[in-house]
Amino acid sequence: MKKLSILTKGIFKENPVLVFLLGLCPTLAVSTQASNAIGMGAATTFVLLGSNIAISLCRRAIPDKVRIPCYIVLIAGFVTLIQMIVEAYAYPLYMSLGIFLPLIACNCIVFARAEVFANKNTVIDSILDAVGMGAGFTLALFAVASLREIFGSGTWYGLAIPGLSSYNVPLLAMAPGGFIVFAVLIAILNKVSNGKAVKKKEFGCAGCPSASVCGKGGAR
Amino acid sequence: MKKDFIAPILALAVICAVIAGALAAGNAVTLPIIQSASDARALSAMERVIPNADAFVQLETDNLPKTIAEAYITSNNTGYIFIVSVNGYGGEIRLICAIGTDGRIIKTETLAETETKGIATPVFEREHLYIGMDSSLNGIDAVSGATITSNAYKNGILDAFEAYEIIKGAQA
């Protein structure tokens, strides 16, 4: 039961994009087409999976002092690997993701899961966490991208939607549209969950992953 | 005390070495695929601009304008192909320009660009205007609002003509 909740919490309750508001740069930038969203989501999930497995395997071997550089090297390594794979086997996707593919290296979702989850949990739990968070990221991206593509360009997954293509709203396909659609989705999620998607205490000082290092957890 | 210094350095060094090894292996697998795919794309672009050529022979580019990345001549002498790399407003514009033996453009095409979407897009949508032009490029004005992109494109084509003249001169 606990394992199942690790898997599912990333999809709705702790959705990295719509609840924690992490990884917004790729979310807003590549969400103009549903196919981009799936590609970006898959690439990020691969990196998450790789970094979570590697970090939870090495969590006892990595000294606390150098854990951040170690995580960065591991994550950047996986990102470079996926970049080479995508360029070799999915060139159109490589072109449409552009700079945002290598930028997964500084995606805070990957980093947050490494710091919050993978470095204190077993490999199996970390895999479940990565799959859940990856799915949550992909779903959120897919939702934003679908809305923007359908109403902004009148197409979905590159296929023209009859009737809509002559009444599209170009604003939605441009940068401001990303913010608007994103905000609307957050509002809907908050309405549905009554604003209780995340318990408040998890945002507090004690819930911070660096609390043990910082030592100011009980200062206030 | 000593252990405090050695362990972190060792851990980081080992991780870096392992990741570098993994990347080298990944690169060895994907590089030939990436290379052959990019060669195939280049060839198909050349076949699009000069469809009836049988083979393309690469020429030396040492004495040509700096913007000419690659130069080719078709083996049945129908024309010359120049791959031009110029700087636009948002970075490199890579275009392919085919010039016939009569000194007129056969066709131009954009291979890669990162210009502002929407504003600079018309520059790349009017490439048909260049077909049949000679080196004076009469009648091609800058797209309003996208002067830098327009000029970069036009200068790239002019460089191709300059290269064409140099190659022609060398052959004569």
Side-chain angles (χ1 to χ4, degrees):
Chain A
M1 199 59 213
K2 190 176 163 273
K3 297 250 185 280
L4 189 71
S5 81
I6 293 175
L7 184 68
T8 54
K9 71 173 193 283
I11 294 169
F12 186 71
K13 200 170 136 264
E14 290 184 19
N15 187 300
V17 180
L18 296 175
V19 176
F20 283 131
L21 307 189
L22 294 175
L24 297 191
C25 164
T27 306
L28 296 173
V30 304
S31 64
T32 47
Q33 281 183 331
S35 51
N36 283 359
I38 296 290
M40 187 69 192
T44 309
T45 308
F46 172 86
V47 174
L48 252 174
L49 204 55
S51 77
N52 262 14
I53 292 173
I55 287 164
S56 70
L57 274 176
C58 313
R59 68 186 191 278
R60 289 188 216 289
I62 297 175
D64 226 26
K65 274 184 186 162
V66 289
R67 67 181 198 288
I68 304 289
C70 288
Y71 298 166
I72 291 174
V73 173
L74 283 168
I75 293 169
F78 282 109
V79 171
T80 315
L81 207 58
I82 188 83
Q83 196 190 343
M84 292 191 288
I85 293 171
V86 172
E87 188 176 0
Y89 298 104
Y91 191 76
L93 182 67
Y94 178 79
M95 286 310 282
S96 61
L97 292 183
I99 185 70
F100 295 100
L101 192 57
L103 275 182
I104 299 175
C106 32
N107 187 318
C108 29
I109 299 173
V110 181
F111 212 64
R113 294 333 287 173
E115 180 74 358
V116 175
F117 198 90
N119 71 350
K120 3 183 136 62
N121 288 283
T122 61
V123 177
I124 303 288
D125 286 356
S126 299
I127 292 174
L128 291 174
D129 181 70
V131 172
M133 286 294 162
F137 177 70
T138 311
L139 275 177
L141 209 58
F142 186 68
V144 177
S146 293
L147 287 172
R148 286 181 70 186
E149 196 184 347
I150 290 171
F151 295 107
S153 320
T155 61
W156 191 69
Y157 229 92
L159 304 168
I161 297 172
L164 259 181
S165 40
S166 37
Y167 296 101
N168 54 13
V169 188
L171 176 76
L172 291 181
M174 292 191 281
F179 285 97
I180 295 169
V181 172
F182 181 56
V184 168
L185 279 181
I186 296 173
I188 292 173
L189 190 73
N190 275 346
K191 179 73 186 165
V192 169
S193 65
N194 270 330
K196 281 177 190 154
V198 172
K199 293 183 198 85
K200 286 279 189 296
K201 68 171 185 195
E202 285 175 28
F203 282 127
C205 220
C208 166
S210 306
S212 63
V213 188
C214 147
K216 289 181 181 160
R220 271 189 289 160
Chain B
M1 192 61 203
K2 242 181 192 167
K3 212 184 148 215
D4 270 8
F5 284 102
I6 294 167
I9 296 170
L10 214 63
L12 193 51
V14 168
I15 287 177
C16 287
V18 170
I19 288 290
L23 287 183
N27 191 39
V29 174
T30 53
L31 190 66
I33 301 171
I34 294 172
Q35 205 84 61
S36 71
S38 109
D39 287 350
R41 275 194 303 276
L43 186 66
S44 82
M46 288 198 279
E47 279 167 354
R48 275 200 306 276
V49 288
I50 303 188
N52 50 1
D54 44 4
F56 303 96
V57 184
Q58 188 158 12
L59 301 168
E60 280 290 314
T61 53
D62 288 348
N63 51 352
L64 301 181
K66 278 196 191 111
T67 51
I68 307 293
E70 288 163 41
Y72 297 87
I73 181 169
T74 58
S75 55
N76 56 359
N77 217 12
T78 41
Y80 303 85
I81 290 181
F82 300 99
I83 294 180
V84 189
S85 162
V86 286
N87 276 324
Y89 189 77
E92 189 198 16
I93 303 173
R94 209 172 168 82
L95 45 101
I96 184 166
C97 176
I99 301 176
T101 38
D102 57 350
R104 287 176 184 277
I105 292 177
I106 300 173
K107 201 176 176 192
T108 69
E109 223 183 87
T110 313
L111 300 177
E113 49 97 3
T114 49
E115 301 301 287
T116 317
K117 284 212 166 49
I119 294 170
T121 311
V123 178
F124 305 106
E125 282 173 350
R126 50 168 208 173
E127 288 173 326
H128 58 273
L129 289 181
Y130 285 92
I131 296 174
M133 283 277 173
D134 57 17
S135 57
S136 65
L137 295 184
N138 267 334
I140 296 186
D141 298 325
V143 170
S144 96
T147 315
I148 294 177
T149 307
S150 308
N151 286 346
Y153 196 102
K154 209 168 162 178
N155 288 337
I157 302 291
L158 288 175
D159 284 342
F161 270 112
E162 201 183 320
Y164 164 81
E165 294 295 341
I166 293 171
I167 291 171
K168 267 259 168 161
Q171 280 177 340

